[in-house]
Amino acid sequence: MKTNRRLPEAKIKHIVIHNTATSPDMLFRDKQLLPYHFLIAASGKVTCIHAVKRDDTTVEIGIAGGIDATGTHADTRTPEQCDTLFNTLIYLTEHFPEATIAGADELAPFPFANPGFCIPKWLNDYVPSFLEMA
């Protein structure tokens, strides 16, 4: 994850992964209104929307998508999003080693599966694309 910003010394307890409950290719006009610190587009591009602040206790990551072509909640992650998510999590856990990684629905009630996949299973099973090619 490329960033010119340094992360502050913060007491981050959780790194929370969400989906945006939109189609994966939706364009967001007013990103600053989104509640995430980072947004991962279908292309894999990560955008820092809100800087992590010293008094934050969570870092919120939004994955664009979560709604399929029929309008149903679904896991719509692209391979590019998976690689970027993995790299972003590595970056964040290096800075906040005490933080736990969780799906939004593990920490708060949602009317749908959010982010739409099992975070512990994914972390255990995921192989980044650069390793698959090796």
Side-chain angles (χ1 to χ4, degrees), residues 16-19 36 60 103-115:
V16 184
I17 303 165
H18 304 256
N19 69 46
Y36 317 115
E60 310 286 337
D105 57 3
E106 293 177 63
L107 301 176
F110 277 84
F112 57 91
N114 189 353

Side-chain angles (χ1 to χ4, degrees), residues 1 3 5 20 28-41 45-53 56 59-64:
M1 181 169 115
T3 181
R5 300 178 187 182
T20 58
F28 297 94
R29 293 177 192 235
D30 295 322
K31 289 181 183 159
Q32 71 276 8
L33 298 177
L34 295 172
Y36 317 115
H37 291 95
F38 302 99
L39 178 66
I40 302 174
K45 179 182 177 187
V46 64
T47 302
C48 179
I49 297 173
H50 301 289
V52 176
K53 296 183 179 129
D56 286 342
V59 174
E60 310 286 337
I61 301 171
I63 301 171

